[in-house]
Amino acid sequence: LGELYAPAIVFDALRYQRLRDPYAYRHVLVIAVVGSRMLELWVKAAPTVKKTFLAFLLHDLGKTRIAASILSKPENLNDAERRLVLEHPLASYALNAAYWGDASHICADVGLHHQEDRLGQGYPRGVKTNSLVLDIISVLDRFDALISERPFRFKKFTPREALDLLKADVEIGRYEGYVLKALFALIRGQ
């Protein structure tokens, strides 16, 4: 990707995320690297890929505003805790808009919409999306969450089980099938 520009506060936020929640930090790095690689299959403009890399990297900043005890809680969340988690895209939006000084910056937009889907069944607002970038982040976000050990789940899924769940999501229209096919190809090394 070459050199990337971001305000210094963005790097401070990433350092804070790395120290506070190593899983979340690894998660956003995976999303940013793999997501950008997938985006390059369709978009050849380097500036667009660079901006999107940053958006993928910063999509979960809102989780830094949720207590670590909630994010690592092994039992079911109560209603107030669940609401905090479901509202983290709003915090991601606010943080990115403030850091970049632009409420319509791609990082703010992706932060706000990364949990939405094409069916309008996501959160925080339940809006229908129609975006390659949001399809990529949705597929990768879910895949990584499914194959990772998390304190609230008995066991992680195998990559094959996770891909089968994503295929079912494609069949109902949650995201475009060609995005999942691109992930399959990357996993196979093609």
Side-chain angles (χ1 to χ4, degrees), residues 10 13-14 17 21 23-36 50-66 84-97 99-100 105-116 123-124 133-145:
V10 168
L14 286 170
Q17 188 174 36
D21 188 349
Y23 163 78
Y25 183 71
R26 184 205 58 82
H27 171 76
V28 297
L29 289 176
V30 167
I31 300 288
V33 172
V34 177
S36 296
K50 285 181 180 184
K51 288 177 186 176
T52 307
F53 173 87
L54 288 168
F56 288 156
L57 188 63
L58 303 173
H59 78 275
D60 260 348
L61 282 183
K63 283 189 176 177
T64 64
R65 300 311 192 254
I66 301 172
L84 287 172
V85 171
L86 294 178
E87 290 176 352
H88 86 270
L90 297 169
S92 293
Y93 169 79
L95 291 168
N96 276 298
Y99 294 165
W100 293 95
H105 193 280
I106 187 172
C107 293
D109 186 58
V110 170
L112 178 61
H113 295 106
H114 74 275
Q115 294 292 346
E116 305 286 3
Y123 62 89
V133 168
L134 292 175
D135 279 358
I136 290 171
I137 201 167
S138 293
V139 166
L140 291 176
D141 201 41
R142 182 135 194 250
F143 181 74
D144 187 61

